[in-house]
Amino acid sequence: NLDISWILGGDTDAPVVVSIRPENGEVVTTSGVMLNATTDEKSLCRWSTQPGSYSQMPSGNTMNDAGGKKLHAKQLTSNDLKPGENTFYIACQDFASPANEMQSAAATTFFWGVAASITVTANPSEVPANNIDNATITAVVKDARGNPLPLNRTITFSTTRGTLRPDSCQTQGAAGCSVLISSATEGVA
């Protein structure tokens, strides 16, 4: 017995963007942003700050697709980004003949150069001004969805009074990160 299946008509479905990075609501703190998209089939993709189909997006806004793969990337620079909320659209077309293209772009909205919330605490809240006793200063930075900054992001502290040791730290998820402060001078730091 021989079972044979025939597919009539070929591929008629446009590619689907199954994931985009940065994710919606994510806070990005790096100077440049890598815009990444994954599609369900090999395709060519374009990006834009305006919604539209693949053919409506500027032809110069192609994403690096490594020769028609499912992973697509575009290194965004400060010229492509604005401080605060940024929305980018991605639309793709496949390699079928004729090509099937996305009529509606996938989108991601993320925050660049800003944090949605920063909570700073001191423990204890008061210490003697003897340059020996320390307070622990902890900062927790969250994005627009209330998620803590990803691990190993640098937070830099500054003060108008006293000495910070060290003056920066790496985030540890929901715990944020902490530095020590001490001073020989009374007052509020």
Side-chain angles (χ1 to χ4, degrees):
N1 273 343
L2 180 63
D3 291 325
I4 298 175
S5 297
W6 296 97
I7 299 174
L8 300 176
D11 180 8
T12 58
D13 295 326
V16 174
V17 174
V18 294
S19 69
I20 301 177
R21 296 281 311 190
E23 295 177 346
N24 279 318
E26 188 172 338
V27 175
V28 182
T29 59
T30 56
S31 58
V33 175
M34 185 63 74
L35 182 64
N36 291 301
T38 303
T39 53
D40 67 338
E41 64 177 303
K42 291 181 179 182
S43 53
L44 299 171
C45 295
R46 293 178 180 166
W47 65 276
S48 179
T49 56
Q50 300 296 317
S53 68
Y54 177 84
S55 60
Q56 292 170 330
M57 291 188 175
S59 60
N61 286 12
T62 58
M63 297 181 77
N64 179 354
D65 63 6
K69 303 291 182 189
K70 295 181 182 183
L71 304 174
H72 312 274
K74 165 62 178 160
Q75 178 67 50
L76 301 173
T77 67
S78 57
N79 293 333
D80 302 314
L81 301 161
K82 62 184 186 295
E85 186 175 281
N86 288 267
T87 300
F88 285 87
Y89 299 89
I90 299 171
C92 308
Q93 77 174 18
D94 63 17
F95 290 96
S97 182
N100 301 301
E101 76 172 56
M102 293 174 63
Q103 295 303 308
S104 297
T108 185
T109 299
F110 58 91
F111 298 87
W112 177 73
V114 297
S117 72
I118 303 172
T119 303
V120 179
T121 57
N123 186 23
S125 60
E126 293 183 13
V127 293
N130 59 14
N131 223 16
I132 297 170
D133 293 313
N134 298 303
T136 301
I137 308 298
T138 302
V140 177
V141 181
K142 294 184 178 179
D143 66 19
R145 292 185 290 180
N147 299 315
L149 210 58
L151 294 175
N152 300 318
R153 303 295 180 162
T154 301
I155 297 176
T156 302
F157 294 79
S158 64
T159 183
T160 57
R161 185 179 313 269
T163 303
L164 294 163
R165 289 182 311 278
D167 66 352
S168 66
C169 56
Q170 300 292 308
T171 57
Q172 302 299 313
C177 73
S178 301
V179 297
L180 298 175
I181 188 169
S182 63
S183 179
T185 309
E186 288 187 14
V188 176

